[in-house]
Amino acid sequence: SSCEEPMSHGQWEAEEWVYVIDGQLEFTIDNRVHQLGPGDSIHFRPALPHMWRNLSETEKALIISVMAPPTF
């Protein structure tokens, strides 16, 4: 699944971490673009506008996403 519009959620103190297990993803966080592949991770504040997209039309991506503290 991908986001089509940037979203923000959580408190400013919250943190989000994403680890890519398989696939190629593009994360846009606060208008900065990051391309991630297997073994890559990214850490950011979920209060910042962010979105992601799977760079493959045919392959699925598998990630682990952790947010602390939980915001929903």
Side-chain angles (χ1 to χ4, degrees):
S1 170
S2 298
C3 292
E4 295 190 17
E5 296 287 326
M7 64 176 174
S8 302
H9 56 91
Q11 306 164 356
W12 185 251
E13 298 82 24
E15 299 179 64
E16 190 164 349
W17 174 79
V18 177
Y19 177 80
V20 180
I21 296 171
D22 195 23
Q24 299 291 323
L25 297 169
E26 180 181 88
F27 278 80
T28 303
I29 302 167
D30 204 21
N31 293 316
R32 293 184 179 154
V33 178
H34 310 272
Q35 291 190 358
L36 304 176
D40 292 336
S41 65
I42 195 162
H43 171 259
F44 59 94
R45 302 235 181 249
L48 294 172
H50 58 282
M51 58 187 276
W52 63 90
R53 71 182 182 100
N54 186 342
L55 293 176
S56 173
E57 296 282 329
T58 58
E59 299 294 321
K60 293 182 180 180
L62 181 62
I63 66 169
I64 297 172
S65 179
V66 177
M67 187 179 306
T71 58
F72 44 89

